[in-house]
């Protein structure tokens, strides 16, 4: 077997691999943004589907004989993807390498769609989708660091690929496999991810659902001229095991109320619009509303606080 120093001259460095990935990210981002803009009005998620297909084609073609093992980033950095014989990957191996490095994240689209619609997945289905993906991503990165000579990641092992320097030709030399300790660490990382996700996601689900609902309510308030500018943020505080939800709103209203009574009517009208547009968010919640009016108004109170279940009910908001 060749000495370790000779083998290190064969394989691409971790820095070169990282910089090549960053360059490829730039290369695919610009046309992806253009395509997304052109297909913004397409039905469903056609734009996302086209972008995904183009990105997939770019990487699969680059790693196969079509691209000679070079993506744009790898060509610039002087490295290339090969199989054990030192040749470009087959189409199936290139597709596997793409899937394990990038395509594995595609199921996360189901999670994103749920949040966009204000109906995020329950913890069980979200766990089944996200935790395996996060585990694969973390293990993939860990293996690239742990394999100190070849820097082979999980996606390289799955595809039977290696990343070598441009000047190297011929079969790829063997390197020492990872030990049991390394695999034990990978297992512990996956367990930690599972525990973290189980605790984090229920809160993220609740906050995400409220955030999406508030975005829709904000759009209604702006469209109906209840406010000219509007910033909304949900937050919560926990006291004695109870969670109190608070919505902070900072708004600019294009009006010059002649009295504090008129100013409060405008504030209350905006508050009611938000409560109608985000009923889940304002259930047992408090609204801290800070409003700025046009210069010359006679408003004196800088902010109003509303308890939604008492002051923003359908009866209290009748006519607002």
């Amino acid at each position: 077997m060749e000495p370790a120093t000779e083998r290190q001259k064969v394989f691409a460095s971790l820095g070169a691999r990282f910089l090549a990935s960053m360059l490829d990210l730039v290369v695919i981002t610009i046309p992806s943004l253009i395509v997304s803009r052109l297909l913004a009005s397409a039905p469903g998620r056609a734009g996302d589907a086209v972008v995904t297909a183009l990105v997939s084609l770019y990487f699969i073609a680059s790693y196969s004989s079509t691209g000679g093992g070079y993506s744009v980033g790898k060509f610039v950095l002087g490295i290339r993807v090969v199989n054990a014989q030192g040749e470009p990957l087959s189409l199936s191996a290139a597709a596997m390498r793409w899937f394990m490095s990038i395509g594995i994240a595609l199921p996360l689209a189901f999670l994103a769609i749920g949040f966009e619609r204000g109906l995020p997945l329950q913890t069980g289905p979200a766990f089944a989708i996200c935790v395996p993906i996060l585990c694969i991503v973390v293990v993939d990165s860990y293996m690239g660091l742990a394999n100190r000579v070849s820097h082979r990641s999980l996606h390289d092992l799955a595809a039977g690929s290696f990343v070598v320097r441009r000047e190297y030709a011929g079969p790829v030399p063997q390197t020492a496999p990872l030990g049991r300790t390394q695999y034990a660490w990978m297992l512990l990382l996956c367990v930690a991810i599972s525990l973290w996700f189980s605790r984090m996601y229920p809160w993220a689900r609740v906050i995400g659902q409220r955030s999406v609902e508030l975005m829709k309510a904000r759009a209604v308030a702006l469209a109906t001229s209840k406010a000219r500018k509007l910033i909304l943020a949900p937050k919560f505080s926990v006291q004695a095991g109870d969670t109190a939800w608070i919505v902070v709103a900072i708004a600019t209203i294009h009006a010059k109320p002649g009295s504090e009574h008129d100013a409060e009517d405008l504030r209350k009208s905006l508050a009611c619009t938000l409560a109608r547009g985000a009923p889940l968010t304002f259930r047992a919640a408090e609204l801290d509303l800070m409003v700025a009016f046009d210069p010359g108004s006679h408003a004196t109170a800088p902010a109003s606080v509303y308890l939604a279940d008492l002051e923003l009910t359908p009866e209290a908001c009748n006519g607002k």
Side-chain angles (χ1 to χ4, degrees):
M1 185 176 292
E2 299 178 30
T5 54
E6 292 299 320
R7 292 198 299 270
Q8 287 176 342
K9 294 179 181 179
V10 173
F11 300 103
S13 68
L14 199 60
R17 292 181 64 151
F18 175 77
L19 290 176
S21 297
M22 293 300 100
L23 285 174
D24 283 330
L25 181 61
V26 173
V27 168
I28 63 177
T29 296
I30 295 174
S32 295
L33 291 175
I34 295 174
V35 171
S36 296
R37 180 67 61 88
L38 293 174
L39 298 178
S41 58
R45 305 183 71 87
D48 294 341
V50 172
V51 168
T52 300
L54 291 176
V55 171
S56 305
L57 181 62
Y58 169 77
F59 283 108
I60 293 173
S62 298
Y63 300 150
S64 67
S65 57
T66 302
Y70 293 104
S71 64
V72 173
K74 286 180 170 55
F75 183 83
V76 172
L77 270 295
I79 59 179
R80 60 194 177 100
V81 178
V82 297
N83 59 18
Q85 288 73 44
E87 301 171 348
L89 303 183
S90 65
L91 282 176
S92 59
M96 176 59 73
R97 192 178 198 274
W98 165 83
F99 177 78
M100 291 299 294
S101 58
I102 301 175
I104 192 69
L106 290 179
L108 293 177
F110 292 103
L111 199 69
I113 292 171
F115 275 103
E116 287 178 5
R117 294 176 177 176
L119 297 171
L121 295 177
Q122 297 291 335
T123 301
F127 185 96
I129 292 174
C130 294
V131 170
I133 293 174
L134 292 173
C135 183
I136 289 173
V137 170
V138 170
V139 168
D140 188 71
S141 301
Y142 182 89
M143 291 184 70
L145 295 171
N147 284 310
R148 297 185 178 181
V149 176
S150 66
H151 300 297
R152 290 189 84 193
S153 297
L154 183 61
H155 61 269
D156 286 313
L157 290 176
S161 64
F162 302 82
V163 183
V164 300
R165 300 174 187 239
R166 175 186 289 144
E167 59 270 17
Y168 181 79
V172 179
Q174 295 183 357
T175 57
L178 294 178
R180 293 182 178 179
T181 303
Q182 303 290 0
Y183 287 105
W185 277 112
M186 292 182 225
L187 178 61
L188 286 175
L189 285 172
C190 290
V191 171
I193 289 170
S194 301
L195 296 174
W196 168 79
F197 188 88
S198 299
R199 293 180 61 86
M200 178 279 299
Y201 182 76
W203 281 108
R205 181 177 184 273
V206 172
I207 294 174
Q209 194 171 8
R210 282 164 166 75
S211 297
V212 170
E213 196 180 50
L214 282 175
M215 289 174 60
K216 295 178 180 178
R218 176 182 180 272
V220 172
L222 294 174
T224 56
S225 300
K226 296 292 184 179
R228 185 172 59 185
K229 297 179 181 179
L230 182 58
I231 300 174
L232 299 172
K235 63 179 186 178
F236 63 91
S237 62
V238 179
Q239 296 179 351
D242 294 329
T243 303
W245 288 94
I246 302 170
V247 177
V248 177
I250 303 174
T252 299
I253 296 179
H254 183 44
K256 294 182 180 180
S259 65
E260 178 55 34
H261 181 271
D262 295 337
E264 180 58 26
D265 280 345
L266 291 170
R267 295 191 197 96
K268 184 67 174 289
S269 179
L270 173 58
C272 288
T273 299
L274 295 176
R276 282 193 294 266
L280 173 64
T281 303
F282 283 97
R283 188 181 303 159
E286 174 186 304
L287 172 63
D288 294 349
L289 178 60
M290 292 166 278
V291 174
F293 295 100
D294 288 342
S297 67
H298 291 80
T300 57
S304 295
V305 177
Y306 302 98
L307 299 177
D309 287 355
L310 297 176
E311 300 172 272
L312 300 180
T313 62
E315 294 78 15
C317 287
N318 188 28
K320 297 292 186 180

